[in-house]
Amino acid sequence: MSIELNIGVIESISEAAFRALQKTGDALRTEVVDAKVMPYNNGAMQNDNTYVESDPAAGTVRIVTDAPQAEHLYIHPEYDFQIDNNPNARGAWLEPWVSGSKADRPAEIFAAMLREELKQ
């Protein structure tokens, strides 16, 4: 018995998977913004300083908030966050998508995006 791998097809599937992963990161960032869970004063941290960073070599994407105050606000959920602009503002705002009630969403979104990418 012999097995022959079609390297070209494997590479195209890998490329489609990474494109789907990038789209998943973008969709998750949008969900977080739409959920209005990030602390929001003038919107700079949420709108200007939160983005999706891709690393094709590692096959990863990350949602990054590089505002100077982001880490401090994230790890201190005990603060009394203003809720004028984002009524659900809180610390640890990504936790529902990491280990909470929305923990299945990243996989669901990725599966849908991969199906779309493989159709093309």
Side-chain angles (χ1 to χ4, degrees):
M1 178 202 301
S2 72
I3 297 175
E4 206 172 306
L5 299 176
N6 186 330
I7 302 302
V9 170
I10 292 171
E11 287 175 354
S12 73
I13 291 171
S14 293
E15 291 167 1
F18 190 70
R19 286 191 306 272
L21 185 61
Q22 289 175 307
K23 290 178 179 181
T24 300
D26 291 336
L28 287 170
R29 182 197 175 282
T30 298
E31 274 194 22
V32 170
V33 170
D34 290 348
K36 300 182 181 288
V37 292
M38 291 182 74
Y40 188 114
N41 184 21
N42 61 16
M45 186 174 80
Q46 173 183 282
N47 299 326
D48 301 329
N49 296 100
T50 299
Y51 55 90
V52 176
E53 180 178 86
S54 301
D55 184 350
T60 61
V61 298
R62 301 183 317 152
I63 297 175
V64 177
T65 301
D66 67 4
Q69 71 277 26
E71 180 181 11
H72 191 73
L73 293 173
Y74 192 85
I75 62 175
H76 287 285
E78 73 275 7
Y79 286 154
D80 184 21
F81 294 99
Q82 74 176 31
I83 56 171
D84 297 337
N85 295 312
N86 277 352
N88 304 314
R90 54 184 266 177
W93 52 85
L94 294 175
E95 286 309 305
W97 291 270
V98 174
S99 60
S101 63
K102 299 177 185 204
D104 292 338
R105 285 295 293 150
E108 291 170 0
I109 294 169
F110 178 76
M113 296 297 178
L114 183 58
R115 277 192 298 276
E116 288 300 314
E117 284 296 322
L118 292 174
K119 284 181 186 177
Q120 299 176 3

